[in-house]
Amino acid sequence: MKFEVLTIFPEIIECYIKHGVLGKALNKGIVEVKVYNLRDFTSDKHKKVDDYPYGGGAGMVMQIEPFYNAIMHLKADEKPRKLVLLSPQGRKFTQKLAQKFMEESKAMVLICGRYEGIDERVKAFVDEEVSIGDYVLSGGELAALVIIDSVVRLIPGALGDELSAVEDSFMKGFLDYPHYTRPEDFKGMKVPEVLLSGDHKKIALWRKRQALKNTLKNRPDLLKNLSPEDMRILKELC
Ligand SMILES: Nc1cc(-c2ccc3ccn(Cc4ccccc4)c3c2)n[nH]1
């Protein structure tokens, strides 16, 4: 999987991808991330990327030319790639969309704006417009990193031998179960007995009940298409 990121702040991307699961996946060659500075695709000596909005209004808008030049530069190799524009107005990014991107795209271009947004005409060159949530960030870079991180975790082999139970639970429609590790007793706060029992069937049932309880409390909107067994457990909780 290859990610190409267009941004005026390449160091934001370059710094984050060195660490953790992403850093390991890069070292293993499972994923490649190439970052392009949009200022390198400008044609003036000041490397200008923004201008005043037509029609007035606060702030500045990013000009189309650097985006166009960068996209044409990438397309010159004629390899297929999915072009994704990050924006507050895009379709909501979910675990399911992360799975779809991982399955369908060998290469993704993540287009990051700044200021008050980018010239609308850039959208003529993109495949998807994606929002990571109903809040306004200062630019597309954090959203791009969220997409890279969540998609890479789904690539077979990326997580090493750690199970990706968390992703599975989100895919099945509920939140994760609570996690504990040593010590057993921290200032009187004890680990639930069942987790010390060694009874894997009991532990699995306890974890499922806790996951459904957490989901009912914090994200009831996720509780759709439950299996009959999960529905039975949920009814016991109500
Ligand atoms: N989910 C999500 C994505 C973004 C996002 C993405 C790209 C950009 C480019 C500029 N901004 C700032 C901004 C945009 C619109 C209006 C006011 C400021 C961006 C925000 N915010 N939240």
Side-chain angles (χ1 to χ4, degrees), residues 99-123:
Q99 185 73 33
K100 182 171 177 282
F101 282 162
M102 189 278 288
E103 287 166 354
E104 292 177 4
S105 319
K106 287 231 177 310
M108 294 179 73
V109 181
L110 298 173
I111 301 165
C112 304
R114 277 271 159 169
Y115 302 96
E116 296 307 300
I118 70 175
D119 189 298
E120 188 72 7
R121 290 169 287 186
V122 172
K123 292 183 185 176

Side-chain angles (χ1 to χ4, degrees), residues 67-208:
F67 290 98
Y68 175 82
N69 292 342
I71 290 167
M72 291 306 122
H73 171 78
L74 294 180
K75 286 190 161 184
D77 68 9
E78 295 183 352
K79 289 180 180 170
R81 40 175 59 89
K82 180 178 282 294
L83 286 91
V84 175
L85 170 67
L86 290 316
S87 116
Q89 287 83 30
R91 77 187 279 204
K92 187 66 78 62
F93 184 66
T94 62
Q95 189 68 24
K96 279 191 171 64
L97 189 52
Q99 185 73 33
K100 182 171 177 282
F101 282 162
M102 189 278 288
E103 287 166 354
E104 292 177 4
S105 319
K106 287 231 177 310
M108 294 179 73
V109 181
L110 298 173
I111 301 165
C112 304
R114 277 271 159 169
Y115 302 96
E116 296 307 300
I118 70 175
D119 189 298
E120 188 72 7
R121 290 169 287 186
V122 172
K123 292 183 185 176
F125 302 96
V126 308
D127 301 309
E128 301 252 10
E129 185 179 2
V130 172
S131 162
I132 61 164
D134 296 335
Y135 38 81
V136 180
L137 300 167
S138 302
E141 290 80 8
L142 281 180
L145 286 169
V146 163
I147 289 177
I148 293 172
D149 194 309
S150 55
V151 170
V152 167
R153 289 176 62 90
L154 294 172
I155 297 173
L159 287 186
D161 51 5
E162 309 101 81
L163 287 174
S164 55
V166 179
E167 282 80 354
D168 292 346
S169 67
F170 257 102
M171 290 298 279
K172 287 179 194 145
F174 38 83
L175 302 178
D176 196 8
Y177 51 75
H179 295 264
Y180 296 85
T181 190
R182 289 173 186 75
E184 253 183 66
D185 183 334
F186 180 74
K187 299 179 185 296
M189 301 162 75
K190 294 183 180 355
V191 171
E193 277 300 321
V194 65
L195 298 180
L196 310 174
S197 68
D199 182 332
H200 296 295
K201 199 169 172 206
K202 261 188 177 177
I203 290 168
L205 180 59
W206 180 85
R207 283 175 167 173
K208 176 61 73 68

Side-chain angles (χ1 to χ4, degrees), residues 15 18 20 80 88 94 115 163 171 176 217 221 232 235-236:
C15 175
K18 294 174 194 162
T94 62
Y115 302 96
L163 287 174
M171 290 298 279
D176 196 8
K217 177 170 172 275
D221 59 296
R232 186 188 62 74
K235 282 182 178 156
E236 284 174 8

Side-chain angles (χ1 to χ4, degrees), residues 40 45 48-49 51-53 64 81 95 107 112 163 182 184 187 216 221 226-227:
D40 295 338
K45 65 178 178 177
K48 183 176 165 56
V49 293
D51 208 329
Y52 295 99
I64 182 169
R81 40 175 59 89
Q95 189 68 24
C112 304
L163 287 174
R182 289 173 186 75
E184 253 183 66
K187 299 179 185 296
L216 187 62
D221 59 296
L226 288 181
S227 70

